[in-house]
Amino acid sequence: MDITNYVVLAAVLFAIGATTVLLRRNAIVVFMGVELMLNATNLAFVTFARMHGDVTGQVLAFFVMVVAAAEVVVGLAIIVTIFRTRRSASVDDVNLLKG
Amino acid sequence: MTPGALEISGGETFLFWVIAPLMVLAALGLLFVKRAVHAAMCLVFVMVSMAILYIAQEAPFLGVVQVVVYTGAVMMLFLFVLMLVGVDASDSLTETIRGQRWIGLLIGIGLAAVLGGVVGRAAFPPAVGLSGGDPDGVANPQALARVLFGDYVLAMEAVGVLLVTAAVGALVLTHRRRLAPKQTQASVADARIKALPDGVVLTPLPSPGVYARSNAMDTPALGPDGEQVPQSVSRVLRIRGQERPAPHGAVVVSTGSTREGTGSARDEEGDA
């Protein structure tokens, strides 16, 4: 097996995550799509680290994980706040700024 | 092939071809599943599989972190928020932007095509591998820590600040100002005393009947006059109509005859 298969898997997962972000309406599921994309990039990072024999790729994947955790905390807090005021978790219902 | 070239073992090949299709299936589940909880479960599966792939790819530390941080913390946070928002919060299927579904699908397929084209056409160097089967090679956590706290120590500090900021931000965002004064035990007691003229009972409600042949929540107790006390049965059972009459012998006291006793008990059940 070629190690490129891992990169292909990462690309497929990234595309699926992006499509989830574009298609789903539930804000929480959209957020899960973002998480899937971050995970796919992590897989690519780990694969490239192994390909080049350099551990820096793994360090970068670690940073991506930490930033993703921070992002999830703030994002979910925003979703909860919006849900409290609008009683909805759908991204289509947040249209207060629409003229 | 260079001398230090990476040999991918048959076991790893097998693992990849078992896990990768399942991962893609679960990821597609994120796209097609109706309910958000099922989507979360699909994502948990993807993340655990990802951890297995990390460990197979000579990144044991990242594999453990993936399980602890992603499936342990992030996905549990997702589930908590799902519980807060309501588990039944499923997607509405009406389109607010016309043709959004097809445009989104087109863009997704286009992205997949572009990424696939890039990966397919790129010339990758021959894979070197990290440790070459040596457990003390460059892939062990000590080597990772050396890079993390050596070359990237400033980024590490910045990330720490970011985490603290995120935690404080989440606290501020979800904090709710108290609109009504806090209810204490004393204030609840005062309110009940004030409501006395409206027919509120201060004492605990009578407990259900305990008889020789039945001892259950759904059997009413008998008052001192021999009548059944409807309040002794839980309100929920009464509304559902699951209340049972008190046994025959007990009712005899008030009515004088077993037959009449059961009759009156049935009537009362009907009233309730």
Side-chain angles (χ1 to χ4, degrees):
Chain A
M1 185 184 81
D2 197 16
I3 198 170
T4 349
N5 286 359
Y6 285 107
V7 186
V8 173
L9 175 65
V12 168
L13 290 180
F14 189 92
I16 293 175
T19 317
T20 307
V21 172
L22 289 174
L23 290 187
R24 297 301 294 256
R25 303 284 171 63
N26 191 332
I28 300 174
V29 182
V30 169
F31 225 61
M32 288 183 205
V34 175
E35 289 305 307
L36 186 60
M37 288 160 78
L38 287 167
N39 264 282
T41 52
N42 272 353
L43 182 62
F45 268 132
V46 171
T47 310
F48 286 135
R50 193 185 185 202
M51 195 183 277
H52 293 281
D54 189 348
V55 87
T56 312
Q58 292 189 13
V59 171
L60 286 184
F62 177 73
F63 279 132
V64 169
M65 280 184 192
V66 178
V67 174
E71 170 242 349
V72 161
V73 167
V74 176
L76 287 180
I78 291 174
I79 289 177
V80 168
T81 315
I82 290 177
F83 181 79
R84 271 196 196 143
T85 50
R86 311 295 307 264
R87 287 284 130 201
S88 163
S90 171
V91 285
D92 285 340
D93 294 342
V94 187
N95 52 7
L96 269 183
L97 288 179
K98 202 171 167 185
Chain B
M1 276 226 163
T2 49
L6 174 74
E7 280 287 322
I8 292 182
S9 64
E12 194 189 327
T13 309
F14 181 72
L15 180 75
F16 179 84
W17 286 117
V18 169
I19 282 188
L22 289 177
M23 273 170 91
V24 173
L25 269 186
L28 283 175
L30 202 60
L31 204 51
F32 292 115
V33 146
K34 272 267 153 47
R35 304 179 68 172
V37 182
H38 298 167
M41 285 298 122
C42 286
L43 197 57
V44 166
F45 181 83
V46 172
M47 284 172 172
V48 172
S49 317
M50 197 79 88
I52 295 172
L53 285 190
Y54 288 169
I55 293 171
Q57 289 221 77
E58 302 174 67
F61 174 71
L62 276 188
V64 173
V65 169
Q66 170 85 7
V67 170
V68 171
V69 171
Y70 264 119
T71 49
V74 169
M75 288 320 292
M76 288 313 113
L77 204 59
F78 266 107
L79 287 181
F80 268 127
V81 171
L82 276 179
M83 300 297 159
L84 276 179
V85 168
V87 180
D88 294 331
S90 49
D91 268 3
S92 64
L93 291 174
T94 49
E95 277 184 309
T96 39
I97 308 167
R98 208 157 52 83
Q100 184 224 9
R101 197 170 301 153
W102 296 112
I103 295 172
L105 204 62
L106 203 69
I107 294 176
I109 292 172
L111 180 65
V114 168
L115 285 177
V118 168
V119 171
R121 289 176 65 89
F124 293 110
V128 184
L130 283 167
S131 55
D134 175 19
D136 292 329
V138 284
N140 63 356
Q142 282 96 329
L144 206 64
R146 217 161 284 133
V147 177
L148 196 58
F149 294 107
D151 302 347
Y152 290 92
V153 68
L154 204 64
M156 189 72 192
E157 298 293 333
V159 154
V161 173
L162 174 74
L163 272 182
V164 174
T165 315
V168 173
L171 282 180
V172 170
L173 275 175
T174 50
H175 180 74
R176 232 191 307 199
R177 195 166 293 162
R178 190 176 292 282
L179 294 175
K182 193 176 180 182
Q183 283 212 325
T184 60
Q185 207 172 4
S187 67
V188 171
D190 285 346
R192 284 180 74 176
I193 296 278
K194 250 178 226 159
L196 255 186
D198 305 333
V200 170
V201 186
L202 275 186
T203 54
L205 292 175
S207 53
V210 177
Y211 305 106
R213 272 182 301 163
S214 82
N215 175 15
M217 294 288 291
D218 55 356
T219 322
L222 297 176
D225 51 352
E227 293 298 322
Q228 308 197 27
V229 187
Q231 298 100 307
S232 64
V233 175
S234 158
R235 196 175 60 89
V236 177
L237 290 181
R238 261 186 283 145
I239 291 172
R240 280 195 199 147
Q242 289 174 337
E243 192 181 9
R244 279 197 302 185
H248 308 247
V251 189
V252 173
V253 178
S254 63
T255 55
S257 129
T258 310
R259 199 168 278 274
E260 274 176 38
T262 47
S264 70
R266 283 222 186 90
D267 288 345
E268 277 179 36
E269 187 192 24
D271 291 340

